[in-house]
Amino acid sequence: MLAPEGALNMHEKAWNAYPYCKTIITNEYMKDDFLIKIETWHKTDLGTQDNVHKLDPEVWKNAAVVYVDIADRNQVLSRDYKPDEDPAKFKSIKTGRGPLGPNWKKELANQTDCPYMCAYKLVTVIFKWWGIQNKVENFIHKQEKRLFTNFHRQLFCWLDKWIELTMDDIRRMEDETKMQLDEMRVKDPVKGMSAVDD
């Protein structure tokens, strides 16, 4: 594939100030005509709040609210499905949580001894290119929802791997991961989730 210089170079910047996080992805070729911005508020509820990001009422009126249910197999593409990453089948040995049934959110709301959290994500996509802008922006939104769904399913099913980690453990793992990624960028082929249009 031939592409202009810089057209395939993406730059990602991320800020983690829990409970708020922000990631911005830009492209040096498209400059101000391309942006993916993901803002996340983590709240101790079950997804019941409206307009957590405090958008202007006119903007909020036109925002598409998409609910991700990690236990709903219908929200996962067949090519992404992994039985060992299915919250409807997983049971934590260390915490006793899971498997998640169809009414898991209602059941969780009635438990007083089980912490929970909702990640409210605001995804802003700008792709200014005449003739394909809406198609590409909608495609990116669809891929972001797919990424969030798969990641949060994994996060729940990997509970026993992270539930007892200390902050020192996490910082050590971050350092190790950075070293591995730096090494992979130099010598390994590109890896990761490939986009699908269905």
Side-chain angles (χ1 to χ4, degrees):
M1 175 169 98
L2 297 175
E5 186 177 336
L8 303 178
N9 293 340
M10 307 300 268
H11 298 277
E12 178 179 342
K13 294 181 181 177
W15 298 264
N16 184 351
Y18 180 85
Y20 176 77
C21 303
K22 178 165 74 172
T23 300
I24 294 179
I25 301 169
T26 56
N27 174 269
E28 63 188 50
Y29 177 75
M30 292 187 68
K31 299 186 177 20
D32 292 340
D33 291 336
F34 177 84
L35 171 85
I36 301 173
K37 179 169 62 171
I38 303 160
E39 298 172 89
T40 306
W41 273 109
H42 299 89
K43 302 288 184 177
T44 53
D45 65 42
L46 291 166
T48 54
Q49 296 185 51
D50 282 334
N51 199 8
V52 169
H53 295 274
K54 307 286 188 241
L55 298 177
D56 179 87
E58 282 303 306
V59 174
W60 176 245
K61 182 172 70 175
N62 295 311
V65 177
V66 178
Y67 293 93
V68 173
D69 182 345
I70 62 170
D72 183 357
R73 173 72 176 82
N74 293 322
Q75 292 193 21
V76 180
L77 297 178
S78 57
R79 70 183 292 175
D80 292 336
Y81 180 75
K82 297 176 184 169
D84 59 331
E85 294 176 358
D86 186 345
K89 295 181 176 184
F90 169 78
K91 175 127 178 117
S92 167
I93 295 167
K94 294 181 179 178
T95 68
R97 296 178 196 156
L100 302 181
N103 297 313
W104 71 272
K105 286 192 243 176
K106 289 179 185 172
E107 293 165 3
L108 187 57
N110 294 325
Q111 293 181 15
T112 57
D113 62 339
C114 187
Y116 50 82
M117 174 178 64
C118 180
Y120 290 88
K121 298 194 175 280
L122 174 63
V123 179
T124 304
V125 178
I126 297 170
F127 186 91
K128 294 180 184 172
W129 198 302
W130 189 84
I132 61 171
Q133 178 172 346
N134 287 342
K135 184 175 178 79
V136 171
E137 288 178 355
N138 290 335
F139 180 77
I140 292 170
H141 275 288
K142 201 161 147 184
Q143 298 310 311
E144 291 295 336
K145 191 231 186 236
R146 179 177 165 228
L147 179 69
F148 300 148
T149 301
N150 292 336
F151 172 72
H152 287 91
R153 286 170 61 87
Q154 289 173 334
L155 189 61
F156 181 79
C157 292
W158 295 349
L159 178 65
D160 288 342
K161 296 178 183 178
W162 58 258
I163 192 70
E164 295 173 337
L165 294 177
T166 65
M167 283 309 295
D168 287 339
D169 294 332
I170 293 168
R171 295 295 179 236
R172 180 184 41 74
M173 290 171 69
E174 287 175 338
D175 291 341
E176 290 170 3
T177 301
K178 181 188 179 314
M179 286 175 28
Q180 291 169 354
L181 287 172
D182 289 344
E183 188 176 309
M184 285 172 31
R185 278 189 205 98
V186 171
K187 66 179 187 176
D188 287 351
V190 175
K191 298 177 183 170
M193 183 178 93
S194 61
V196 294
D197 191 13
D198 43 44

